[in-house]
Amino acid sequence: MAFGHLVSIPRTSTSIATGGNCWKRRKFVDNYCASSISTTTRASWQPNRNLITKEYSLKHNISKNPFKAIEGGISSTSDDNKIEKPYLVNASSAQSHESEPQAHHHESQNSFNAIKKALINVIKFSRLYAFIGMQAGTISASIIAAENFSQISPMLFLKGLLQFMVPFFFMFQYVMGINNLTDVEIDKINKPYLPLASGEYSYNIALIIVISCLFLSIGLSWMVGSKPLFWTVIVNAALMSAYSVNFPLLRWKRSTILTALSNAISMVGSFNIGPFLHMQTFVLKKAVSFPRSMLIGSLVMGCFYVIITLSKDLSDVEGDKAAGLKTLAIRLGVKQVFWLCVSLIQMAYGIAIAIGASSPVLWSKIVTVLAHLIMIGYVWNHAVTSIDLSSKESLQSFHMFMFKLVTIESVLIQFVR
């Protein structure tokens, strides 16, 4: 303890006190320091020269002000700060080095969160789930056009598929974006989580995205040089603009019939007939011909697209009423439209069963009929046991369920002969 106080003794020179009492007190301090240092410093300082020098320095400094040294230990002076300063600097430096990785960690975490949030907003704005769900139809139609892969190399097929999918991806973003722009007030009630409705995107930013996607889609289609692709993009843009934009004679979503027709024609052309003609005429350089499976597929898929259009409005009744829209769900009620959708699904499966049963190929007849009978039971059980008509979330899940049925049907169409 004594040594801990002694190391901070100042080294400034002062006058040495004289007199008997001072000499006695100085002698006492010298003895006190010697006894303290002898037990502490010898273990700490190995070189004798350093030991003697530091003992002398300590004694010499104490002798300059013995009274101050004795009362309450050795008090600090300005030179104490000089002695302790390097240690303080080192401590603060260590703390700064420790805080630097933490700061970098926080910065990287913030950057990661910002990127994650941006991607989530893109997914919400573009409704990627719908685009991915519909691509099963695009792939199925392209496979039907190829007939068998002995006539086409896998790389050529993949190239032709991407030539159609990439431009149409941007067209799909335009379609979803123009609908978001024209339905901001409705989405604030029905879908407040969407970036435009929630304020994550400003109206100008969303408008720039939508216009950019439109020009990218048309430009890429023109560069590819496929007439089926180009006209599919143009017709789809025209129909969906008429469906969404609030201009005279437009805003077709106010009419149930025009809504169903525009959406069904747009989706059949975009995900079935368009990619089929693109693969058949542009990639494979064949003459136009529609096989049995393509005709049946277009008919059955058209029914599913109408059902998707109707089921979308089931969870949007509140916002559509506030906007003055008269959707079928508002006119007839949610329950009636829900069971109408289920009935239309069963009707589409019935058409597939009837056509499959008339197939001249036995294995195609068995697979088509049996698979669609199973689907009828599966859809009915899901509608009865899994859907709560009073829950907005449950009705939205039914709409999402339709994309699963489209994917399954796109696979089953391959077995139709």
Side-chain angles (χ1 to χ4, degrees):
M1 185 68 186
F3 179 69
H5 289 295
L6 289 173
V7 293
S8 60
I9 295 174
R11 297 182 180 180
T12 56
S13 59
T14 57
S15 300
I16 301 176
T18 58
N21 291 334
C22 291
W23 183 88
K24 291 179 181 179
R25 290 176 182 175
R26 177 178 173 182
K27 186 68 175 176
F28 171 76
V29 171
D30 287 345
N31 293 334
Y32 173 80
C33 293
S35 61
S36 299
I37 294 173
S38 61
T39 59
T40 307
T41 58
R42 289 173 186 172
S44 304
W45 298 332
Q46 294 301 325
N48 293 331
R49 177 178 297 178
N50 292 341
L51 176 62
I52 296 170
T53 303
K54 292 187 177 184
E55 286 183 353
Y56 172 78
S57 176
L58 289 170
K59 291 179 183 180
H60 179 69
N61 288 330
I62 293 173
S63 65
K64 297 173 185 177
N65 198 343
F67 301 105
K68 194 173 184 180
I70 292 174
E71 34 176 43
I74 307 300
S75 62
S76 299
T77 63
S78 60
D79 281 345
D80 288 333
N81 296 331
K82 295 180 181 179
I83 296 173
E84 295 176 358
K85 186 175 181 180
Y87 298 96
L88 293 174
V89 171
N90 291 335
S92 62
S93 176
Q95 291 177 357
S96 66
H97 286 304
E98 291 177 358
S99 63
E100 282 179 4
Q102 294 179 358
H104 288 305
H105 173 72
H106 288 307
E107 289 178 2
S108 60
Q109 187 67 28
N110 291 336
S111 300
F112 174 77
N113 290 336
I115 294 172
K116 180 181 178 182
K117 185 178 180 180
L119 290 175
I120 291 173
N121 285 331
V122 168
I123 292 172
K124 289 179 180 179
F125 185 77
S126 61
R127 315 281 179 91
L128 280 181
Y129 67 86
F131 179 79
I132 294 172
M134 295 299 190
Q135 292 316 298
T138 301
I139 297 171
S140 176
S142 299
I143 292 174
I144 292 173
E147 293 182 342
N148 60 72
F149 282 94
S150 62
Q151 302 175 359
I152 181 174
S153 67
M155 290 304 298
L156 181 61
F157 177 82
L158 181 61
K159 178 183 176 182
L161 191 62
L162 290 176
Q163 283 176 333
F164 187 91
M165 291 176 65
V166 173
F168 201 81
F169 169 78
F170 291 106
M171 174 48 58
F172 192 83
Q173 305 316 304
Y174 166 75
V175 170
M176 294 296 105
I178 196 69
N179 191 57
N180 287 338
L181 285 171
T182 55
D183 285 354
V184 177
E185 297 303 320
I186 299 176
D187 289 338
K188 287 180 180 179
I189 300 173
N190 291 335
K191 299 178 179 70
Y193 55 84
L194 294 178
L196 198 57
S198 64
E200 293 289 341
Y201 285 178
S202 67
Y203 190 88
N204 290 336
I205 291 296
L207 184 62
I208 291 172
I209 293 173
V210 169
I211 294 175
S212 299
C213 288
L214 175 63
F215 282 108
L216 273 171
S217 178
I218 295 175
L220 289 173
S221 301
W222 183 265
M223 290 171 63
V224 169
S226 169
K227 289 183 179 180
L229 168 61
F230 181 78
W231 286 111
T232 299
V233 165
I234 295 297
V235 171
N236 192 67
L239 286 174
M240 291 296 96
S241 296
Y243 168 76
S244 298
V245 176
N246 192 11
F247 286 164
L249 302 178
L250 300 181
R251 189 71 169 169
W252 290 356
K253 65 170 52 184
R254 288 179 293 205
S255 168
T256 301
I257 296 176
L258 288 176
T259 294
L261 287 176
S262 61
N263 279 272
I265 293 172
S266 172
M267 286 190 278
V268 168
S270 302
F271 302 109
N272 296 94
I273 298 177
F276 172 81
L277 292 175
H278 165 77
M279 185 65 68
Q280 188 179 65
T281 62
F282 179 74
V283 178
L284 299 177
K285 311 297 182 184
K286 294 181 178 181
V288 177
S289 63
F290 286 90
R292 179 185 174 91
S293 56
M294 189 64 216
L295 292 173
I296 296 171
S298 299
L299 179 61
V300 174
M301 285 299 189
C303 293
F304 276 106
Y305 297 146
V306 171
I307 299 164
I308 287 175
T309 303
L310 297 177
S311 65
K312 179 182 70 67
D313 296 330
L314 292 175
S315 60
D316 294 344
V317 170
E318 184 182 357
D320 292 343
K321 279 184 178 179
L325 299 178
K326 298 295 182 181
T327 63
L328 198 62
I330 294 174
R331 293 175 185 273
L332 301 180
V334 170
K335 182 177 180 179
Q336 286 74 13
V337 174
F338 171 76
W339 287 111
L340 175 62
C341 290
V342 175
S343 300
L344 288 173
I345 295 172
Q346 310 292 37
M347 185 184 73
Y349 286 146
I351 293 172
I353 289 172
I355 296 174
S358 63
S359 173
V361 181
L362 180 61
W363 67 264
S364 173
K365 180 184 298 187
I366 294 173
V367 171
T368 304
V369 172
L370 184 60
H372 286 94
L373 283 173
I374 292 173
M375 292 304 298
I376 287 176
Y378 172 63
V379 171
W380 181 264
N381 180 71
H382 181 80
V384 172
T385 61
S386 302
I387 305 301
D388 179 8
L389 297 180
S390 62
S391 170
K392 183 177 178 179
E393 289 75 18
S394 182
L395 292 171
Q396 177 65 21
S397 72
F398 177 72
H399 175 64
M400 299 295 293
F401 178 66
M402 295 305 306
F403 292 101
K404 296 179 182 179
L405 298 183
V406 167
T407 302
I408 295 172
E409 191 61 28
S410 298
V411 176
L412 294 179
I413 287 173
Q414 299 299 319
F415 298 96
V416 175
R417 294 291 185 272

